[in-house]
Amino acid sequence: MPTILERISDGDESAAEECVREYGGLVWRLARRYLDRAESEVEDTVQEVFVEIWIHAKRFDPTKGSEAAFIATLAHRRIIDRQRKITTRRKHERAVMTESKLTQNQIPMIGIDESGIMEAPLYRKELAQGFDSLPETEKTALWMSAYRGLSHRDISQITEVPVGTVKSRIRRAMIRMTKAISGEHTKPNCERSST
C-alpha cells in the first residue's frame, strides 16, 4: 500500500488532507518549540511546511527512512530558516529603534519663520513628538528610509513586507509628520501671495 507522500506525489488530493491530519500535530509542535517567542509566525510557518511537503513529496524514499522522519526533517529545515529570518529582522528593528530614540537630538528639523526664512530649531520639538507618536511600523520604515538611507526594496527585505506596503507606510508617516507641524504653526490669517 502506498504511503501518504507517495499518494501526494501521484496527485491524490485526499492524501493531502490525510497528511495534515496525520502530521499536523508533529509540525505544529516543532514550530512552537523553535518559534516560541514568535507566536504569530507559527501558523504561517506550519502552512509553509505543508507547501514544502507537497512540493517535495516525490523525494520521499521509504527505503531510506520513515515518512514521519522525512516530514520532520523538512519541517525542521523550514522552521530553522524562518527562525533565522525572524532573528535577523529583530536585530535590524532593534538597531533602528535604538537609533530612533535619538531623534530629538539628531534629526535636522527645518521650519519657516514669519518672513519665510528657513530656521532649523523652530519645529524640533513638534517633529520629534510627531515622530514619536507614529505607529511603530511607520516609524521604522521612515527611519530606515530617511536616516539610514535604505531603499524601499532594502526596507522590504529587512521587514519582510511588500515594497508597496513600505511605500505606503513612509507616505502615511510623512503625512502625519506634516500634520504634526502644520496644525500648530499655520497662522490662520497668513496666505501666500499669488505673485
Side-chain angles (χ1 to χ4, degrees):
M1 182 175 171
T3 65
I4 294 173
L5 290 177
E6 288 171 330
R7 287 166 49 212
I8 288 173
S9 67
D10 289 338
D12 182 347
E13 292 182 17
S14 66
E17 293 175 17
E18 191 176 335
C19 185
V20 172
R21 281 195 307 272
E22 183 71 24
Y23 297 108
L26 169 68
V27 173
W28 191 267
R29 284 191 302 277
L30 285 169
R32 285 188 61 115
R33 181 187 307 160
Y34 288 97
L35 305 173
D36 63 336
R37 293 184 185 170
E39 188 67 34
S40 61
E41 302 278 350
V42 172
E43 190 173 332
D44 288 344
T45 305
V46 169
Q47 289 177 359
E48 285 180 14
V49 168
F50 279 102
V51 169
E52 197 84 358
I53 291 168
W54 313 152
I55 292 170
H56 298 294
K58 289 181 180 178
R59 288 182 14 206
F60 172 63
D61 182 351
T63 64
K64 293 182 178 178
S66 71
E67 190 171 66
F70 179 85
I71 288 172
T73 301
L74 270 180
H76 185 261
R77 288 180 187 152
R78 173 57 62 185
I79 292 165
I80 294 300
D81 286 347
R82 176 59 74 104
Q83 188 182 43
R84 286 182 185 135
K85 284 181 184 176
I86 293 168
T87 302
T88 302
R89 185 178 70 222
R90 284 179 176 166
K91 282 181 184 174
H92 284 292
E93 286 174 353
R94 276 197 299 272
V96 168
M97 295 319 296
T98 299
E99 290 171 358
S100 72
K101 300 292 183 203
L102 306 173
T103 306
Q104 194 162 349
N105 296 323
Q106 290 187 348
I107 292 182
M109 304 302 179
I110 304 297
I112 301 175
D113 69 8
E114 290 179 18
S115 65
I117 305 294
M118 299 294 277
E119 251 183 59
L122 186 61
Y123 296 135
R124 181 180 299 277
K125 182 179 177 185
E126 288 80 4
L127 279 174
Q129 288 172 343
F131 183 81
D132 289 340
S133 70
L134 292 174
E136 287 302 317
T137 54
E138 292 177 17
K139 188 186 295 186
T140 299
L142 181 61
W143 190 261
M144 287 178 158
S145 174
Y147 183 73
R148 297 185 78 186
L150 297 178
S151 69
H152 293 149
R153 185 175 303 283
D154 290 338
I155 298 169
S156 170
Q157 290 173 344
I158 291 167
T159 58
E160 295 184 334
V161 297
V163 173
T165 302
V166 170
K167 290 179 181 178
S168 295
R169 287 176 179 174
I170 293 171
R171 183 174 179 277
R172 284 194 306 267
M174 294 301 292
I175 289 169
R176 290 182 209 266
M177 294 288 286
T178 301
K179 287 180 179 177
I181 56 168
S182 66
E184 292 188 22
H185 293 283
T186 302
K187 299 190 178 189
N189 296 329
C190 292
E191 292 183 16
R192 288 187 177 178
S193 170
S194 57
T195 56

